[in-house]
Amino acid sequence: MKLDVSNLLLNELVELRDIINGMIWEYNDGHIYICKVRSYGRNWEEKGITNVKTLQELCYEYCGEDGIVDVYTTNSDLGEGFYNYGDTKVIKSLEDYEKWSKHKSLTFNIQRVEQELIDDAEDQERPFNQRRSHFRTPYTQEMVDELKEDIKNLPMDFEPPRNYFQYEDAE
């Protein structure tokens, strides 16, 4: 399809461009796109990505120099030429992603708190002026035990995300 726009004035071309950009932005291909952006020490989840074209624009915007986008999607066919500097993972469903994410976060927190307790115990054996921190960790072993109990009670009936590029090769 070829559209002849050569007879349009500049302001009409701009208006047409804005209409088309809006249509592209609003197009929903039916897949889920969870986009975690990391840029200059800030982290956020980009909302409103509903198709591969707007996803690719976001990934180009944060292609390594100005940040990184980690993508989790139900779309196992992002198309030839799709590029992302960050992770691109295929998820089974939003529910699976949320269960996996909660499990991963809790596992990380347990490891972090356990390490803080070890570091704190080692610091207490050093002279005061040689300690990494002059303040004790606010965490206790009881808190770690509670976190471990919480993780035991989490549902494990989820499929973890798979690397998109490995997934693509396997199909």
Side-chain angles (χ1 to χ4, degrees), residues 4-17:
D4 183 19
V5 293
S6 60
N7 61 341
L8 295 178
L9 299 173
L10 180 60
N11 60 342
E12 293 172 322
L13 288 170
V14 170
E15 186 178 331
L16 181 60
R17 179 200 61 195

Side-chain angles (χ1 to χ4, degrees), residues 32 34 45 74 91-100:
I32 296 168
I34 301 166
E45 186 173 318
T74 56
I91 58 173
K92 182 178 175 185
S93 66
L94 181 60
E95 182 182 6
D96 275 18
Y97 169 79
E98 288 171 345
K99 288 177 182 179
W100 168 81

Side-chain angles (χ1 to χ4, degrees), residues 23-71:
M23 292 172 72
I24 292 169
W25 183 258
E26 292 173 7
Y27 179 81
N28 188 331
D29 65 13
H31 291 285
I32 296 168
Y33 299 94
I34 301 166
C35 304
K36 306 255 182 186
V37 183
R38 298 173 278 154
S39 178
Y40 298 111
R42 298 178 306 135
N43 300 310
W44 70 93
E45 186 173 318
E46 189 69 32
K47 305 283 186 186
I49 302 296
T50 57
N51 64 68
V52 175
K53 297 302 179 197
T54 54
L55 173 65
Q56 186 63 82
E57 286 179 16
L58 179 68
C59 292
Y60 282 153
E61 184 176 351
Y62 298 102
C63 63
E65 291 181 22
D66 289 330
I68 296 172
V69 181
D70 292 328
V71 177

